[in-house]
Every structure is written in C-alpha cells, then in structure tokens.
C-alpha cells in the first residue's frame, strides 16, 4: 500500500521467477497484467513504477535464453537491465524446496 501510494519513490520492484515451462511463463506474464494489487492497479503497473514506460527488464521470468533454474541468472539480468547493483537489492523468495536466497548470495 505504501509503495502504491508513492511513499518510496526511489524504490524499484522486480520479479525473478524460474517458471519451468513456456505455458508457466505465459501464465505468469498474463496474470501480472490482470491481477490487481489495489482496485485499478495491476501488478504489472506497480512493477513499472520508476522505470521508463514500456520497460520490462525488471521482469525476469522463465528458464530459457539467459535464464535458468538457478536464480543467479535472473539476478545477473536484473542488474544488467536495471543498472541496480546487487548490494542495493533485497531478495525475498517463497520457495519451499530449496534455499534460493542462499544460492543467490553465494552466486556472486
């Protein structure tokens, strides 16, 4: 709510998902454009705050191209695309079958 209200203007949001199939990637991308975090404000719109209009480098979803099941690949791309340094990022992960936070920390 506070971010949506503009209280953290210098904060940027990003998504790093290792969705494992092309269908899962499409579902993730579509849902971010449909689901509202507040009435009239979609996840995708909220993620776009503070970035140029149309920018999507802060959304790294999937396991193809430069991305893999290892979240370090997602964070390398987030750094490259956004220009935000690793030590300025905060990573939260809800994975319950591994410790992606530890993997990312050790990956740099």
């Amino acid at each position: 709510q506070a971010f949506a209200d503009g209280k953290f203007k210098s904060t940027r949001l990003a998504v790093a998902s290792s969705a494992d199939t092309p269908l899962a990637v499409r579902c993730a991308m579509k849902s971010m454009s449909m689901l509202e975090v507040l009435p009239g404000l979609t996840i995708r719109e909220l993620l776009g705050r503070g970035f140029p209009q149309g920018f999507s480098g802060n959304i790294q979803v999937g396991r193809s191209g430069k991305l893999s099941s290892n979240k370090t690949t997602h964070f390398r791309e987030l750094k490259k695309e956004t220009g935000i340094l690793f030590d300025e990022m905060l990573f939260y992960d809800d994975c319950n079958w591994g410790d992606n936070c530890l993997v990312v920390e050790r990956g740099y």
Side-chain angles (χ1 to χ4, degrees):
Q1 180 75 45
F3 182 78
D5 290 342
K7 292 184 180 176
F8 302 100
K9 293 188 183 299
S10 65
T11 299
R12 304 293 175 263
L13 301 179
V15 171
S17 171
S18 55
D20 61 351
T21 66
L23 177 59
V25 171
R26 287 193 307 274
C27 287
M29 300 304 278
K30 186 69 173 177
S31 66
M32 286 188 280
S33 295
M34 294 174 59
L35 296 174
E36 295 181 347
V37 293
L38 293 170
L41 179 64
T42 67
I43 294 170
R44 181 64 190 96
E45 291 167 337
L46 191 67
L47 288 168
R49 297 233 176 131
F51 291 107
Q53 186 159 355
F55 179 76
S56 62
N58 62 323
I59 301 174
Q60 299 296 324
V61 177
R63 296 182 182 192
S64 62
K66 296 177 181 180
L67 304 177
S68 73
S69 62
N70 185 323
K71 290 280 178 82
T72 59
T73 59
H74 296 72
F75 276 80
R76 280 188 214 114
E77 286 302 302
L78 287 172
K79 179 183 176 209
K80 180 179 134 197
E81 292 290 327
T82 66
I84 298 171
L85 302 175
F86 296 130
D87 64 355
E88 296 176 350
M89 294 182 187
L90 173 66
F91 178 37
Y92 167 78
D93 192 67
D94 64 350
C95 175
N96 60 5
W97 60 85
D99 190 346
N100 286 325
C101 294
L102 183 62
V103 169
V104 168
E105 179 185 19
R106 290 181 177 170
Y108 300 109

